[in-house]
Amino acid sequence: MRTVYLNGEFVPENEANVSIFDRGFLFADGVYEVTTVVDGKLIGFEGHIQRLQRSLDELKIPHKVDRDKMLEIHKEIAERNNVTEGMIYLQITRGNPGDRDFAFPPEDTPVTMVLFTQHKNIVHAKSLETGIKVISIEDLRWGRRDIKTVQLLYPSLAKMEAKSRGADDAWMMQDGFVTEGTSNNAYIVKDGTIITRHLSNDILHGITRKSVLECARMLQMKVEERPFTIEEAYAADEAFVTSASGFANPVVEIDGKAVGTGKPGAVSEKLRGLYLEENMKAAV
Ligand code: PDD
């Protein structure tokens, strides 16, 4: 049984209880982060903590993240659960006002903070060798996708639609242009140029995205940050997605059409290698 963290205490998962009036439960009024652990160390920790604070600020959840304390909790929860490779999930909600009301509770209402771990093969994940298949689907999420909120119902529906059509994930589209995957950022490669949507409120500002684009520049690869259409994706030489838990994962099929050779591409493989090298050096 896992040991989880709830509001200042480490407890067995079956003893961690949250109120039915919690704003996270009733209004999806909360934010989260997923940090990857490799060799017992945290990847991209500073980026995740900074984005967490930004998400809280954008939603006006009055909570200042204590970076040092957070690091301590992350390290301890990984150790207590013997996670040498996997993920640490962290969620903060606007807390429990003791009733249901659209208006925010008083500022001094304590937030609810939860962390738990998941074991996962990340460095040698099977999907890195085989690549994944995606379908395209309309992006019906709200307009502030740059905030990492826990309202993940649409991405979850999109994922199930993909599975029902024999694929692994969905690329969401707005006005014919790809925004991102259900839980990752989307990229295509054409004639040696990496193309990925520019940062705006339309997509999550991925921590892995930032690092992978830095790696691309270190490797002297050309990068264009702009929207691309699904037709461009069909005609791409290569495609991939990035996320904390998936690094740079090749996409080998889009809407039933093979991308390039239909095999994982060289660009994502190269990027993944450098990404891992650089991020392991900086891991905490
Ligand atoms: N998802 N876009 C969306 C919509 C995401 O949910 C995620 C992350 C990303 C990639 O961000 P990052 O590189 O910082 O992980 C992009 C996490 C992993 C999840 O929901 O499990």
Side-chain angles (χ1 to χ4, degrees):
M1 192 190 299
R2 277 176 291 194
T3 297
V4 304
Y5 178 94
L6 173 62
N7 298 333
E9 283 179 76
F10 288 96
V11 289
E13 63 182 58
N14 61 349
E15 288 173 25
N17 299 314
V18 176
S19 166
I20 63 157
F21 296 116
D22 195 275
R23 295 276 305 187
F25 182 61
L26 294 181
F27 292 97
D29 187 356
V31 299
Y32 76 107
E33 283 295 332
V34 178
T35 306
T36 292
V37 179
V38 176
D39 283 347
K41 290 189 163 181
L42 303 165
I43 304 272
F45 180 74
E46 306 302 335
H48 287 290
I49 289 300
Q50 280 164 22
R51 187 172 62 188
L52 174 67
Q53 186 65 62
R54 179 180 181 275
S55 295
L56 289 164
D57 293 347
E58 291 296 313
L59 295 185
K60 300 184 171 60
I61 295 178
H63 181 77
K64 283 282 161 265
V65 179
D66 181 339
R67 180 254 175 217
D68 294 347
K69 180 83 191 143
M70 271 312 193
L71 180 58
E72 205 180 293
I73 299 169
H74 275 72
K75 298 295 278 182
E76 185 165 349
I77 202 162
E79 266 168 39
R80 281 182 184 247
N81 293 283
N82 299 315
V83 177
T84 50
E85 191 162 323
M87 282 104 73
I88 300 175
Y89 178 90
L90 154 69
Q91 174 169 326
I92 299 179
T93 77
R94 204 182 305 270
N96 164 28
D99 203 352
R100 181 175 184 268
D101 188 345
F102 278 76
F104 292 170
E107 294 251 317
D108 58 358
T109 306
V111 294
T112 303
M113 190 188 299
V114 171
L115 283 91
F116 60 82
T117 54
Q118 292 180 310
H119 288 268
K120 193 186 168 196
N121 249 340
I122 294 177
V123 180
H124 300 291
K126 196 170 154 264
S127 63
L128 298 176
E129 277 162 41
T130 58
I132 62 165
K133 298 175 181 175
V134 303
I135 59 158
S136 60
I137 192 170
E138 199 61 28
D139 195 338
L140 297 180
R141 296 174 299 164
W142 78 325
R144 290 302 306 275
R145 303 159 194 155
D146 57 311
I147 309 173
K148 201 162 171 62
T149 78
V150 297
Q151 42 161 324
L152 296 172
L153 182 56
Y154 188 71
S156 180
L157 287 169
K159 182 98 180 169
M160 291 314 290
E161 178 65 20
K163 285 194 180 293
S164 77
R165 291 202 237 156
D168 305 292
D169 201 8
W171 276 12
M172 297 179 281
M173 287 189 307
Q174 182 169 291
D175 306 322
F177 292 93
V178 174
T179 53
E180 59 188 332
T182 61
S183 58
N184 45 59
N185 291 114
Y187 307 71
I188 56 170
V189 183
K190 186 69 182 173
D191 300 328
T193 299
I194 299 168
I195 304 160
T196 191
R197 198 179 178 101
H198 61 285
L199 296 180
S200 71
N201 292 350
D202 295 336
I203 60 167
L204 187 74
H205 301 190
I207 307 303
T208 320
R209 177 189 183 280
K210 182 164 187 263
S211 177
V212 161
L213 291 185
E214 281 166 10
C215 291
R217 290 180 178 117
M218 283 168 75
L219 292 165
Q220 322 268 305
M221 293 174 175
K222 260 178 68 189
V223 176
E224 273 179 28
E225 293 181 62
R226 62 159 176 90
F228 60 88
T229 63
I230 198 69
E231 287 75 23
E232 277 186 277
Y234 296 154
D237 302 322
E238 199 179 319
F240 61 96
V241 292
T242 65
S243 70
S245 51
F247 294 167
N249 208 319
V251 170
V252 292
E253 202 180 290
I254 304 173
D255 288 331
K257 301 172 193 35
V259 179
T261 60
K263 298 245 156 49
V267 171
S268 64
E269 194 185 339
K270 222 168 162 183
L271 284 173
R272 199 164 59 242
L274 186 59
Y275 171 84
L276 190 60
E277 199 182 307
E278 289 296 311
N279 280 277
M280 284 312 292
K281 273 195 244 163
V284 289

